[in-house]
Amino acid sequence: MKILVINAGSSSLKYQLMDPDTGDVFAKGLCERIGIDGRLTHKVPATGKKVEKDLPMPTHSEAIEAVLGILVDPENGVVASVDEIDAVGHRVLHGGSKFTASCLIDDACKQAIRDCIPLGPLHNPANLMGIEACQTVMPGKPQVAVFDTAFHMTMPPKAYRYAIPDEYYDNDSIRRYGFHGTSHRYIAQRVAELMGRSDLRVINCHLGNGSSLCAIKDGQCQDTSMGLGPLAGVPMGTRAGDVDTTVVQYIMNTYNKSIDEVFTLLNKKSGVYALSGGLSSDFRDLEAGAKDGNEKCKLALEKFSYEVKKYVGAYAAALGGLDVLVFTAGVGENGPATRAAVCDGLEFLGVKLDPEKNAQRGKEMIISAPDSKVTVWVIPTNEELVIAQDTKALSQQ
Ligand code: ADP
């Protein structure tokens, strides 16, 4: 079976053609600069082949046409015809409280995604454009929406409600939603497979450019660090993470800035990037800077691991203990120094790293010592596989 997984942004579109049963990726790539000019990057993992092409992409429909064109291309393609693609799975950012699981796309599902636009104003319209482009270019092909928020819908009210007046929840659905749900769900499932049981208290640290932690009990989300939007939680590449809202008021009043300007500052110019003095949001650069004695880079890295550690402590308390701690995503999978810094001081919880194991990168492995009470894993995340599996299941119903 072949499932096309689509992650559509406002001016970009990522794709993977994959087998939902084996996880094999036949081809993957990226359309960029949609609506500007258009550029396609296409890779075939089995042969290592990489193609880059400038192609006009005035809308997402032309981008999808370009993707299908290269997938069936006799020289660079991986299928003989579009008929070989069984179904399409879409990553959709915000499903509000409406979606606790993925859904087969029909008019009602599209309307529900539209209804969630106020909650995901940047992403949901782009996700819908991706869906509609596929409907135009591949009419009749089953399509499935997989929501970044769905996994978090098992949180209890004490975790998802904000302590603000009721009317904002009742009328506007303002609450914690959380993101990276497809990644957290993959990890919850994979941990259960790897540990041979699902009755576990797990904290997953998804540490990438955007970062969030998730407290998982018996395979279900109990709490997560992002909120109504993806700005909450630990500091990130360029996002501030949790800040006292008084900071927002102070900057607005003192510098006569609009709320949108302050949000741009908190989303795009903050995080480890800001603490490094604007040097970089990439942890590799920060580690190199810290090695050269750059104090700002050192502080950026210290702040990041300190805040992640604090969330681990909080979630261990929320879960009533901890059985498994997981690191995933770019930094979690490839950053031994960050993992060590997060775990340093968590011995009281029963976390004991094996430094030699932790020195490795980018593969599924236990990095805790044999006598560690908490099993610490590095698990490369695979959101596309979850999307492909849901798409297979729903399109066969
Ligand atoms: P996104 O949130 O964009 O999906 P990723 O999960 O791909 O992000 O993570 C990207 C980040 O991973 C980069 O910004 C970089 O800081 C970090 N990263 C990647 N490789 C390494 C490495 N070898 N060592 C430390 N950090 C790394």
Side-chain angles (χ1 to χ4, degrees):
M1 194 171 197
K2 294 186 175 78
I3 304 284
L4 181 61
V5 176
I6 300 285
N7 183 356
S10 56
S11 68
S12 71
L13 185 147
K14 288 188 204 148
Y15 64 93
Q16 280 199 13
L17 185 68
M18 66 189 298
D19 183 328
D21 298 312
T22 61
D24 288 345
V25 176
F26 304 109
K28 62 180 181 179
L30 169 69
C31 299
E32 290 170 287
R33 298 176 63 83
I34 301 169
I36 307 166
D37 36 32
R39 181 155 188 81
L40 173 73
T41 308
H42 174 81
K43 292 180 195 163
V44 181
T47 59
K49 199 169 214 176
K50 182 175 173 186
V51 185
E52 288 178 279
K53 273 187 185 182
D54 288 326
L55 284 169
M57 296 175 190
T59 71
H60 286 65
S61 288
E62 289 81 7
I64 293 287
E65 274 172 9
V67 171
L68 297 181
I70 195 116
L71 287 174
V72 301
D73 181 61
E75 199 184 329
N76 303 302
V78 289
V79 286
S81 112
V82 172
D83 295 340
E84 282 184 45
I85 301 171
D86 295 283
V88 185
H90 294 267
R91 180 178 185 182
V92 180
L93 181 85
H94 223 304
S97 314
K98 290 194 174 87
F99 293 102
T100 54
S102 304
C103 79
L104 196 61
I105 293 171
D106 55 13
D107 287 344
C109 171
K110 272 168 59 179
Q111 187 53 43
I113 296 171
R114 219 170 276 128
D115 292 343
C116 293
I117 287 177
L119 297 168
L122 296 179
H123 293 83
N124 275 31
N127 300 150
L128 272 170
M129 282 194 276
I131 289 168
E132 285 177 345
C134 287
Q135 288 182 323
T136 307
V137 178
M138 291 176 275
K141 190 81 72 188
Q143 297 197 54
V144 167
V146 180
F147 299 93
D148 249 17
T149 47
F151 180 67
H152 301 305
M153 287 302 116
T154 50
M155 278 188 284
K158 66 183 176 191
Y160 72 68
R161 284 293 298 272
Y162 290 122
I164 61 172
D166 257 1
E167 65 208 71
Y168 298 107
Y169 176 70
D170 295 339
N171 301 336
D172 304 292
S173 309
I174 293 177
R175 50 162 283 178
R176 181 188 303 282
Y177 288 99
F179 299 93
H180 296 136
T182 315
S183 171
H184 290 301
R185 188 173 133 209
Y186 173 77
I187 298 297
Q189 290 168 355
R190 190 72 191 130
V191 164
E193 283 168 18
L194 292 166
M195 301 292 288
R197 49 188 271 230
S198 58
D199 57 330
L200 293 163
R201 295 159 299 182
V202 180
I203 298 174
N204 183 36
C205 307
H206 177 112
L207 311 179
N209 222 341
S211 296
S212 72
L213 280 85
C214 188
I216 300 160
K217 194 170 192 175
D218 303 335
Q220 297 203 318
C221 170
Q222 301 298 316
D223 207 344
T224 191
S225 58
M226 285 178 168
L228 175 72
L231 190 49
V234 296
M236 310 178 206
T238 62
R239 290 191 201 123
D242 297 333
V243 285
D244 173 359
T245 47
T246 313
V247 173
V248 175
Q249 185 195 36
Y250 191 100
I251 295 176
M252 286 177 74
N253 288 345
T254 309
Y255 295 96
N256 198 22
K257 281 190 191 291
S258 69
I259 189 76
D260 286 347
E261 285 172 317
V262 177
F263 267 70
T264 301
L265 185 138
L266 294 173
N267 269 301
K268 300 209 153 94
K269 299 205 162 89
S270 297
V272 292
Y273 167 79
L275 286 178
S276 73
L279 186 91
S280 176
S281 61
D282 192 302
F283 278 66
R284 287 162 288 199
D285 298 334
L286 300 178
E287 283 174 13
K291 218 171 163 191
D292 290 344
N294 182 322
E295 292 299 325
K296 292 189 176 196
C297 290
K298 280 188 201 167
L299 175 65
L301 292 169
E302 274 173 22
K303 173 74 178 167
F304 181 77
S305 55
Y306 176 67
E307 295 296 337
V308 174
K309 189 201 312 272
K310 274 168 54 181
Y311 264 98
V312 173
Y315 285 170
L319 292 170
L322 183 61
D323 300 305
V324 179
L325 179 65
V326 185
F327 290 95
T328 193
V331 182
E333 292 165 28
N334 300 296
T338 298
R339 295 193 300 249
V342 169
C343 291
D344 182 35
L346 292 182
E347 294 78 9
F348 78 99
L349 279 178
V351 173
K352 188 173 167 195
L353 280 194
D354 177 324
E356 264 178 43
K357 290 182 190 159
N358 183 45
Q360 302 171 79
R361 296 166 195 265
K363 59 171 187 171
E364 196 170 81
M365 58 184 168
I366 291 178
I367 56 169
S368 47
D371 60 340
S372 178
K373 282 202 198 101
V374 174
T375 311
V376 186
W377 280 92
V378 171
I379 302 180
T381 194
N382 196 344
E383 292 159 283
E384 290 78 13
L385 182 61
V386 174
I387 296 173
Q389 287 171 344
D390 276 10
T391 304
K392 176 188 169 184
L394 285 168
S395 63
Q396 285 180 336
Q397 275 179 6

